[in-house]
Amino acid sequence: MGDTGTTAWAAFEAAEPELAGTVRERFGQYTHHALATLRKDGSPRLSGIEADFRSGELWLGMMPNSLKARDVRRDPRFSLLANPGEGTSMGGGDVRVSGRAVEVTDPGTVSWYAKEAGAPQPFHLFRVELTEVVRTTVEGEEVVFRVWAPGRPVRTIRRGNDESPPREDRG
């Protein structure tokens, strides 16, 4: 974990292998996902993107000078929602990761990634540093959130479809 309160994918995976496995599986169901970034004026931008798990990291590749690349180069904060799939079944639950997109400019790493991923060059390459991972599912009449943040165990929060406050499972 760095001084920014972030964690690399491999460290998250080592700390919470079950949730990490679910997240990888969920992202693997579809190729295209939804990336939220911040525009220059601070308003949100939502863009399509492919996410790639490779060599213990979560990677984001972006076209040269695309708006989303310019957004995260200026302000690296983002959220990435796994494609929710068709209909309302939630395909095993919604999965979202948030964090910082750290641009990788080392020519050797970029070349390695391009070869491994079959990515056409040129492109911007970003390594994800996580600040939060959330899996949302429906269990019976409840919406269940499994939430992880660096340095904390997974929390399970439940809420019903009424005005009752959410409650946290106590382990």
Side-chain angles (χ1 to χ4, degrees), residues 79-98:
S79 281
L80 178 65
L81 177 70
N83 187 322
E86 300 177 19
T88 59
S89 70
M90 291 178 64
D94 282 347
V95 170
R96 175 179 47 84
V97 298
S98 298

Side-chain angles (χ1 to χ4, degrees), residues 79-135:
S79 281
L80 178 65
L81 177 70
N83 187 322
E86 300 177 19
T88 59
S89 70
M90 291 178 64
D94 282 347
V95 170
R96 175 179 47 84
V97 298
S98 298
R100 299 172 61 83
V102 177
E103 188 164 17
V104 176
T105 58
D106 170 64
T109 303
V110 173
S111 179
W112 162 84
Y113 182 85
K115 182 179 177 186
E116 288 287 317
Q121 291 195 48
F123 62 95
H124 295 289
L125 180 62
F126 298 88
R127 181 180 46 78
V128 167
E129 291 185 353
L130 299 169
T131 57
E132 182 180 62
V133 176
V134 179
R135 179 174 185 229

Side-chain angles (χ1 to χ4, degrees), residues 11-87:
F12 163 62
E13 198 166 38
E16 297 293 344
E18 184 178 335
L19 181 57
T22 299
V23 170
R24 281 181 80 135
E25 179 182 322
R26 190 65 188 79
F27 272 103
Q29 289 179 10
Y30 297 93
T31 301
H32 296 98
H33 308 287
L35 177 71
T37 59
L38 296 170
R39 298 171 192 248
K40 190 174 186 176
D41 68 2
S43 63
R45 182 187 316 276
L46 195 59
S47 306
I49 195 165
E50 296 178 23
D52 189 28
F53 296 89
R54 204 172 287 277
S55 293
E57 300 285 0
L58 173 53
W59 302 92
L60 304 173
M62 301 178 199
M63 291 173 49
N65 296 312
S66 63
L67 293 175
K68 62 189 163 196
R70 291 183 1 208
D71 286 348
V72 294
R73 291 178 90 192
R74 182 181 53 258
D75 184 333
R77 295 175 295 169
F78 74 91
S79 281
L80 178 65
L81 177 70
N83 187 322
E86 300 177 19

